Amino acid sequence: MRGTPPGALRHPHVWLVDLAELAAGRASARAAAHLALRALAAHHLGCRPADVPLVRHCPRCGTADHGRLVLTGPASVHLSLSHSADLAAIALCGGPAGVDVERVRPDVDWQRLAKRVLAPREAPPRGCERNWFELWTAKEAVLKLVGRGFAQPLSGITLTAPDAAGWSRAGMAPRTGTAEDVGWVRRLSAPAGFAAALAVARRAPPPVVRGLRPASSDEITRWADEPGRLAAATADLPQERDIPQESA
């Protein structure tokens, strides 16, 4: 994707990044994910990665010492980042968005976690354990969309059945009352062993998700200022909610 004016970003763009390839033993996965985020954002904005105006913002209290990463200034571009193991998912969108990726693991006791994940009267996923991870990532993406983070339980999120394009309407239920519509969420194609999802805040789901493809390490480092300084990249990434392992 060539650098385009922010206003031209009408559809969500999502990249999947192999962090092991990008870091190549020179840095942590978190640092590599941060470099990829800055490089992709800079390529779109037409600036140097070091000049991407990233700050933290908490939508609940308005402070800048914690919360999700946001772009400041006139650019009407929203971003979201998630990483698990050696894979990162990065989304750029013309409106609020949330992305989540999780490595599918066999050590999760979903029967024990069901009450924390399932909304009232929500049927548990059928079939393989990957379906549980896809449900988890879909709800995590919704939380990142609205910026609630750990303050909101996953069981408070409701999802409708997917439409023909794979989009589900997402609702967030308060402690009392009717669930409030917050946007749309869609499972994403991910490499074997991973599950991923994208949530967007729109009245209607976007017709397509553009750019859903791997971003090579050569591509990212070509956009970065000094690829050799990867080890010094600042890892100011938001904290991910870990799926609890099955207790011994």
Side-chain angles (χ1 to χ4, degrees), residues 142 146 148 156-158 169-174 176-183:
V142 173
V146 299
R148 298 284 180 87
I157 297 173
T158 61
R169 190 70 179 172
M172 187 162 292
T176 58
T178 306
E180 171 190 3
D181 287 340
V182 295

Side-chain angles (χ1 to χ4, degrees), residues 49-202:
D51 295 332
V52 173
L54 279 177
V55 298
R56 287 191 178 278
H57 174 72
C58 175
R60 301 185 66 204
C61 65
T63 59
D65 60 350
H66 64 279
R68 62 185 176 185
L69 292 172
V70 298
L71 289 170
T72 62
S76 57
V77 179
H78 296 252
L79 53 82
S80 182
L81 180 145
S82 176
H83 85 283
S84 179
D86 290 328
L87 185 70
I90 298 172
L92 298 180
C93 188
V99 71
D100 190 64
V101 63
E102 295 288 347
R103 180 172 61 88
V104 177
R105 309 194 320 260
D107 60 352
V108 179
D109 185 351
W110 290 111
Q111 298 302 317
R112 181 171 59 87
L113 295 176
K115 290 184 178 180
R116 295 171 54 182
V117 179
L118 299 175
R121 297 182 296 279
E122 181 177 15
R126 296 181 178 180
C128 64
E129 62 184 6
R130 180 185 177 87
N131 295 333
W132 277 101
F133 280 91
E134 290 185 344
L135 178 63
W136 179 284
T137 55
K139 294 193 173 188
E140 278 287 325
V142 173
L143 288 185
K144 293 179 179 180
L145 166 67
V146 299
R148 298 284 180 87
F150 301 151
Q152 175 74 35
L154 297 182
S155 59
I157 297 173
T158 61
L159 303 176
T160 63
D163 63 15
W167 291 99
S168 297
R169 190 70 179 172
M172 187 162 292
R175 294 183 182 275
T176 58
T178 306
E180 171 190 3
D181 287 340
V182 295
W184 296 83
V185 64
R186 182 179 186 269
R187 276 75 165 178
L188 300 174
S189 298
F194 289 89
L198 171 72
V200 294
R202 300 169 62 112

